[in-house]
Amino acid sequence: MDLNQMDKESTRKEYKNTFVLSVAFTAVFTSYLAIQNLQSSLNEKHGLGIISLSCMYSSLIISGIIAPAIINVFGEKRVLVISFLCHVIYIGTNFYPIFATLVPSSVLLGLTAGPMWTSQSVYLATMAYSYAGRTSKDKHAVLSKFNGIFFPMYETTQITGNLISSLVLQQGSYNSSISSSAISNNMTITDKLCGSADCPMLVKATHIDEPGRDVVFILLGIFLGLDIFGVLLTLFFLPPLKRLKYKGSVCRTLALCGKGLTDVNILLLLPLIVFMAMEQALLWTVYTKSFISCPLGIQKLGFVMATYGTSTTLFAFVVSRISKFTGRYILFTIAGAFSLGILITLFLWEPSSEDVMFIYLIPVIWGVSEGIWQIQSNALIAFLFPDKKEVVFANYHTWKAIGFTMPFVYGNILCVSTKLLIAITLLIVAMISYLVVEIRVKPAKPCNEIITDEENKLNPDNNTANC
């Protein structure tokens, strides 16, 4: 076999591994994200859905910190298989959702999620750097391309999972979603507290009608099958990576993660990382309950969220193709502007059953910014810290877990309007901090990252002296 043929074989393996990883995550998260979107409405009693999610993401904070040590013991592939098995357990406990079943399975899932996402990031980065090294292509462009394979497929889970949930839940019978209240302070039982006016601590709080358990069991059975498929695909078709070079105890991992925070660029990116997670948590809890289930009913939730998945998938694919032409600066600016516009709109808007088109439109716009955040944030981290990606990605996913946890922790306490104001403030701080990072790293870019192969062909006189 000649050298060119060996390169082609290696390239096929890199793409094949990326596709296997992507399909496995798509199967598992088709079920997980759909159930997550339903938690605040489906398990509303005593705040069980929100509490279980807060426990899950609180556990993810811990697992994200110790992820490198866990991966060092088990390897990336075993970590993925174990985590996907925990997804099977989590879906199983939703058949009988009480605090004694749903909360422990949520904690278990959170404890494996940090290493799982770190393993996923390492897999993609390893495949991308391997491909870029052999082909001499721009590293950031290749990272965007490989992330552009994974994340559009991953984002289709918001389409498939939500369509499945609504198509199944429509088989049940429902009354109109109303607000339950004590008749006090001249409030009537027909008044609704949808949108930013929804306050969980008020006597008059919004409650969502739940579907029959037989319909829920059908839905959970479908999701359980998808999780099992993801486990088998990973187990039999995804090859293991070489073990991490890092060796050490959990305590040393904690020290390394803490040391990672001494990097100024990482510290400056923390507000953006936290915001990206907080924004998604608001979509999964606040928007699904107060802006969809409240005015339209839980049976429409999946259809609305499917538009978000479609938009995110489409724009994630587009972004992966145009990033080499636009650069990340323009893309991050667009994402920040769209996110700010959405949050301000939600703060000022009180939805009703007559606002159907607008309720569907908001997730479409939301998907544009999310499609950018998903691909560009992962590519940016891998690009800025190529020599310590395991520890940096562990920090990245840990702080994302903190961003997820915050809205879940105060989800049953604060009014929707207050949650939106917190997110708006954090976004403004995040974009300023991101701008500072770009100013800091621009002079430090090596010439081979600035001058592309195409530019060299057009102008052979380009050299390091011209940078």
Side-chain angles (χ1 to χ4, degrees):
M1 184 181 294
D2 59 29
L3 188 59
N4 289 335
Q5 189 174 355
M6 290 177 64
D7 283 345
K8 290 179 180 179
E9 286 290 331
S10 182
T11 299
R12 282 197 289 267
K13 288 181 180 179
E14 288 158 356
Y15 275 101
K16 173 250 183 186
N17 294 341
T18 301
F19 276 109
V20 169
L21 183 71
S22 302
V23 173
F25 268 81
T26 300
V28 171
F29 279 84
T30 288
S31 60
Y32 171 71
L33 290 179
I35 288 296
Q36 180 178 252
N37 291 339
L38 292 168
Q39 283 296 340
S40 62
S41 301
L42 193 60
N43 295 317
E44 184 190 17
K45 189 175 181 181
H46 304 304
L48 175 58
I50 297 294
I51 291 172
S52 66
L53 289 174
S54 66
C55 291
M56 179 189 300
Y57 285 101
S58 297
S59 303
L60 203 158
I61 296 173
I62 300 172
S63 70
I65 294 174
I66 64 175
I70 294 175
I71 294 172
N72 181 57
V73 173
F74 295 101
E76 288 86 355
K77 177 176 177 175
R78 285 197 185 99
V79 164
L80 291 175
V81 172
I82 292 170
S83 182
F84 290 168
L85 285 172
C86 290
H87 278 80
V88 173
I89 296 172
Y90 176 73
I91 294 297
T93 58
N94 273 271
F95 280 91
Y96 189 60
I98 59 174
F99 281 92
T101 59
L102 194 57
V103 171
S105 68
S106 298
V107 171
L108 181 63
L109 189 59
L111 290 175
T112 61
M116 177 197 69
W117 280 111
T118 301
S119 297
Q120 173 268 331
S121 297
V122 172
Y123 254 103
L124 284 185
T126 301
M127 295 301 106
Y129 274 107
S130 174
Y131 181 82
R134 288 184 304 93
T135 59
S136 300
K137 294 195 175 184
D138 179 71
K139 292 178 182 177
H140 186 267
V142 174
L143 284 164
S144 294
K145 185 174 183 178
F146 275 69
N147 278 280
I149 294 172
F150 177 86
F151 282 106
M153 293 183 68
Y154 170 78
E155 291 298 342
T156 60
T157 60
Q158 287 284 4
I159 305 172
T160 54
N162 286 304
L163 284 178
I164 290 171
S165 68
S166 272
L167 289 171
V168 173
L169 293 177
Q170 276 202 140
Q171 307 307 311
S173 59
Y174 298 84
N175 295 319
S176 298
S177 179
I178 62 172
S179 300
S180 67
S181 65
I183 302 177
S184 58
N185 299 325
N186 296 323
M187 291 180 180
T188 66
I189 198 167
T190 56
D191 289 334
K192 291 190 175 184
L193 288 175
C194 298
S196 61
D198 188 4
C199 285
M201 296 302 289
L202 293 180
V203 174
K204 176 180 177 297
T206 301
H207 290 270
I208 308 301
D209 295 319
E210 296 183 6
R213 296 307 298 174
D214 56 336
V215 176
V216 175
F217 287 165
I218 294 173
L219 180 64
L220 293 174
I222 295 171
F223 290 156
L224 194 63
L226 288 169
D227 279 350
I228 294 173
F229 172 75
V231 171
L232 296 176
L233 186 64
T234 304
L235 185 62
F236 293 111
F237 294 98
L238 187 68
L241 295 177
K242 292 181 180 179
R243 288 297 183 92
L244 298 176
K245 295 180 180 179
Y246 162 73
K247 301 288 183 182
S249 64
V250 172
C251 292
R252 178 161 173 75
T253 302
L254 292 172
L256 283 175
C257 284
K259 186 179 179 180
L261 294 177
T262 61
D263 190 300
V264 176
N265 289 336
I266 295 178
L267 287 174
L268 288 170
L269 288 175
L270 290 185
L272 181 61
I273 294 171
V274 173
F275 169 77
M276 288 188 297
M278 179 183 289
E279 182 187 46
Q280 284 188 292
L282 290 175
L283 174 69
W284 297 334
T285 56
V286 168
Y287 195 78
T288 55
K289 179 176 181 289
S290 301
F291 291 85
I292 303 175
S293 294
C294 179
L296 300 182
I298 191 175
Q299 66 272 31
K300 300 296 183 183
L301 192 155
F303 290 139
V304 177
M305 291 301 291
T307 64
Y308 164 78
T310 303
S311 177
T312 307
T313 302
L314 175 62
F315 280 96
F317 177 79
V318 171
V319 166
S320 69
R321 295 298 185 271
I322 67 172
S323 60
K324 62 182 178 182
F325 303 110
T326 63
R328 62 178 178 268
Y329 323 110
I330 294 176
L331 294 173
F332 272 110
T333 301
I334 293 173
F338 275 46
S339 294
L340 182 62
I342 290 168
L343 293 172
I344 293 174
T345 299
L346 297 183
F347 181 79
L348 299 174
W349 173 46
E350 183 177 343
S352 69
S353 58
E354 298 178 355
D355 298 327
V356 176
M357 294 300 296
F358 202 60
I359 292 172
Y360 276 86
L361 179 61
I362 290 292
V364 173
I365 301 174
W366 209 317
V368 176
S369 60
E370 185 59 26
I372 297 173
W373 294 135
Q374 285 279 20
I375 290 181
Q376 291 302 308
S377 62
N378 275 268
L380 177 64
I381 294 295
F383 177 70
L384 292 179
F385 311 100
D387 298 326
K388 48 182 178 180
K389 56 181 178 291
E390 290 86 4
V391 172
V392 173
F393 272 124
N395 267 295
Y396 173 74
H397 291 301
T398 298
W399 283 94
K400 282 195 76 172
I402 293 173
F404 283 128
T405 304
M406 290 168 59
F408 295 138
V409 169
Y410 55 64
N412 291 322
I413 302 173
L414 299 181
C415 296
V416 171
S417 57
T418 305
K419 299 174 189 176
L420 293 172
L421 283 175
I422 293 173
I424 290 171
T425 303
L426 181 60
L427 173 58
I428 294 172
V429 174
M431 293 308 294
I432 294 173
S433 297
Y434 163 72
L435 177 61
V436 174
V437 171
E438 291 291 7
I439 293 173
R440 283 174 52 84
V441 302
K442 188 175 182 180
K445 287 181 181 178
C447 282
N448 59 3
E449 297 295 342
I450 300 175
I451 301 175
T452 64
D453 293 338
E454 289 77 8
E455 289 171 332
N456 281 325
K457 292 175 182 178
L458 291 174
N459 184 9
D461 295 330
N462 278 336
N463 53 51
T464 56
N466 295 328
C467 296

